[in-house]
Structures are given as structure tokens and as C-alpha cells.
Amino acid sequence: MSTEGRSAEAASATNALESAGFVRLLTRADGDALAASGLIASALADSETPFQVTVEPTVGARSDRVNTPTSEDAVTVVVGTVDPAPDAADIVSLETADRPATLEAVDLARDLGATPDPVVALAGIVASGGDPGAGESEWLLETARDRGLLERRPGVAIPTDDPVDGLAHSTRVHAPWSGDRDATREALADVVDGDPADFDADDHRAIGSLVALDVVGADGAADAAAATIGRALRPYATPEAPFETLGGFADVLAATASTDPGTGVALAMGHDVRERALAAWREYGRRAHAALKNGSTGRYDGLFVISIDDGPVDAVARLGVAYRSPEPAVFAVKDGEAAIATHDADHLGATLEAVARDLAEQAPEADIDYGGGRRRGSLRFDPDVDETTIIAAVRDLL
């Protein structure tokens, strides 16, 4: 049975890492986990402890890594659910059901004597679906503001200073023109004029207003669209970070986690990989919006299904539940891969494990694996498995 790890107490986890000769960091593939891994990796680098970061999207792949023998003085830190063998060495788990992994990483990094980057931490919290400054993250927000690393302004949360580029590829926004740079430029023609570096508060406010109207007024917009776009407005600008806003930083973390995790880890550690990360983010956003627009849909009680031919299923599910679904959960599926996103589930791990077991019983040859965070999860399966079988299993157990 899978587990979220045998979490060590804070003191023992710190002691284990301080005495480790080598640390394996093993993480699930999403923006929250990437930020968490980057914060721990940076703390290890500060203490000159050798480490390796590996991003694995599924429980099976992570478990294989955890159960692979390593040196006696090595410690494994896991962000994500794993299924350890009975004789596996103890692991340090940063996975909990009730808080972002990023917050767990912040606590551990501080215990190790490091000073976590508050902007990376807050971006991870945003990527997890949380609000920056809410609850336990309030001190991180205040620290960043006191250090001049954040400042609130009108507009929309995007990673680039060019609003056409930022809005065309953002997966925090879905409007009729999303994914198409030319269509985005045309939509913004009345409010975008001149060098973005010269934009003032009124310019950003006009862009935000137009985007909000286009989002909520789009054909097929869900009731949730208004609340979702509201969270992307009035962003925190990040003048010292590689991206223009905190929400934009979170968007790039999510994109690189899915498509270019090596670049994403480097980004979360503070390395200069901005252009590579933006290239991955642009392609990710373009494909996600195209897939959502062209996908076929089906509605069930509590579940909205989006079937696509190509594109990142994780982003399609996330955008679907935020902007298009009349139901509280979205299941995006293509050959061999699927993702689920919800409005209100705190953790999908148990549900996805049950779906995987059910599918394994129905189709033993299907080679089922799964992964998940707090509000999102994924399935991997043999492409020969009929899509209706996958959908039925999810409907029955969601």
C-alpha cells in the first residue's frame, strides 16, 4: 500500500541531513514540489552536502527509486507519495495532506540553518493552489515585502513584461484568444500601446479589466471563471526575481515541472535559466490552450471529462476546472495518460490509488501508475486500455 512516507520528527530529519554524506531528493512533478525541492537543494548546497534531484511524476517510479539501494551514509528526501519496501531505509518525507510541500521545505531548510528564498517559497505556494500570505505563509509575504522583493500593482499575473506574450501563454488565464499570440495582440490592441517598461498603474489596470471581461464573457465560461480570474488580478510584482510577477513565477514552475524538470529544478534553486524556462512555458501554454479548445467533452454527475488528442493533460485539467467545467472536478484524458483537478479536494492520493487498483483488477495488463498532489493528480496506463474504462473507474470512485 502506498504511503506518504514515514515522516521523521523535525529534529531527527535535520540530524539525518546534517550527517548525510549524500542526499537523494526525489520529487513529484508539479510547481509546489519543484519549489520545495529547490529550497532543500539550496540549503544542501550552502552546507556543501552532495545531492541529486530527481523528478518522477508517479508513485511507482518514485518507489522504484526509493527502493534502490544506495550508500550507507545517504539519506532520501521525498516530496510525494511512495510505496517503500519493508526493508527500505527510513526516508524524510515532505508530503502532507494539509499543507503545501513548500512550507514543509521552508521549515526544514531553516532547521538546517539556511535562509529560504521567500519569493521561490511563495511561488510554490501559489503553484499548489494557495494564496500568498494566507495562514502560515504570512511571514514569508511580509519578509519579501520588507526586503523589497514584492510589491502589489494592478494588472494580471504573468511572467513576462510583454502582456501579449504573457497572456497568450499563461495557464493561469483562459480566454477566447489564449494560446494564440496574434489573437491576443488583437484583443489587447485598444489597451496595449508603447513599451511595456513604460506602463503605469492605469495601463496595467486597463489590461486587467479587459482580460477579466473577456474571460467571464466567453462562450462556455463556467461560474468558477470569475473567481479564478480574480485571483490572477492585482498581482505581486517581483522586481528582483527572474519573472515579472509571483503568479507568473508559479506558472513557469508548473510548466517546467511537466515538460522540462531539469530546468525547473535549476530555476527553483536560483540559477539563471530564465530563457530556457520561458521557452518551455510558452510551448506548454500554447499546447494546453489548443487542447482545451479542441477537446471533446462529456458531463457526468460531479465530473467533467475532456478528451484530447495531444497536449499536457495536467494543464488541461487545471484550466478546465478553473474556467470551463460546470462540475467540481475535471478529468482530462488522452492515450496512455490522464489528469484530474478539483476545486475543493485537499488530497487526491487515496482516490487515485483506489482508481489505479480498480483498473488493475479490470485490466491486469494495463500497467497502471498514478501520482498526485493536494488538488490535482495523474494516471499513466497502457494506451491500449479503452478510454471508457478509465472514465468509468474515475466516476465510480471520485
Side-chain angles (χ1 to χ4, degrees), residues 105-392:
V106 166
D107 290 346
L108 182 55
R110 295 176 78 194
D111 289 341
L112 292 171
T115 301
D117 185 325
V119 174
V120 172
L122 289 165
I125 290 168
V126 173
S128 79
D131 294 318
E136 296 178 84
S137 68
E138 181 179 6
W139 73 270
L140 285 166
L141 182 67
E142 292 306 315
T143 298
R145 296 180 77 166
D146 290 346
R147 289 169 54 185
L149 302 177
L150 291 181
E151 55 186 38
R152 197 133 204 191
R153 65 157 172 81
V156 188
I158 54 176
T160 61
D161 62 353
D162 177 359
V164 173
D165 181 26
L167 289 167
H169 303 106
S170 171
T171 64
R172 293 179 60 79
V173 174
H174 184 69
W177 32 261
S178 291
D180 184 329
R181 191 165 183 150
D182 290 338
T184 303
R185 181 179 294 106
E186 183 177 349
L188 298 178
D190 290 339
V191 295
V192 173
D193 184 24
D195 187 343
D198 297 329
F199 285 0
D200 59 18
D202 287 340
D203 294 317
H204 287 297
R205 190 173 293 110
I207 292 169
S209 296
L210 183 147
V211 170
L213 288 172
D214 281 1
V215 165
V216 299
D219 290 341
D223 292 342
T228 305
I229 190 59
R231 296 180 63 198
L233 301 178
R234 297 191 65 245
Y236 284 103
T238 50
E240 302 298 322
F243 308 109
E244 295 299 310
T245 67
L246 191 62
F249 199 151
D251 201 24
V252 176
L253 283 174
T256 53
S258 177
T259 64
D260 190 357
T263 295
V265 170
L267 176 63
M269 290 184 64
H271 297 309
D272 184 11
V273 291
R274 181 179 186 274
E275 294 309 316
R276 291 211 318 261
L278 283 175
W281 163 79
R282 289 185 183 101
E283 181 66 7
Y284 178 79
R286 183 192 64 77
R287 294 176 65 226
H289 289 293
L292 181 57
K293 291 174 182 177
N294 298 325
S296 59
T297 62
R299 183 177 181 181
Y300 306 91
D301 184 20
L303 184 68
F304 192 66
V305 176
I306 305 173
S307 298
I308 64 174
D309 294 327
D310 186 33
V313 288
D314 57 326
V316 173
R318 180 161 49 89
L319 284 165
V321 80
Y323 290 105
R324 285 291 177 265
S325 176
E327 300 293 343
V330 164
F331 188 62
V333 59
K334 66 179 182 181
D335 285 350
E337 189 177 356
I340 189 167
T342 70
H343 286 303
D344 50 14
D346 287 332
H347 200 76
L348 286 168
T351 299
L352 287 165
E353 182 178 3
V355 169
R357 288 187 174 191
D358 184 61
L359 287 169
E361 291 176 1
Q362 294 185 52
E365 75 288 353
D367 193 22
I368 305 293
D369 204 352
Y370 70 97
R374 299 174 69 230
R375 294 184 178 89
R376 298 158 201 153
S378 62
L379 289 168
R380 300 288 176 89
F381 47 89
D382 191 300
D384 291 336
V385 177
D386 187 72
E387 185 177 294
T388 58
T389 301
I390 303 291
I391 294 171

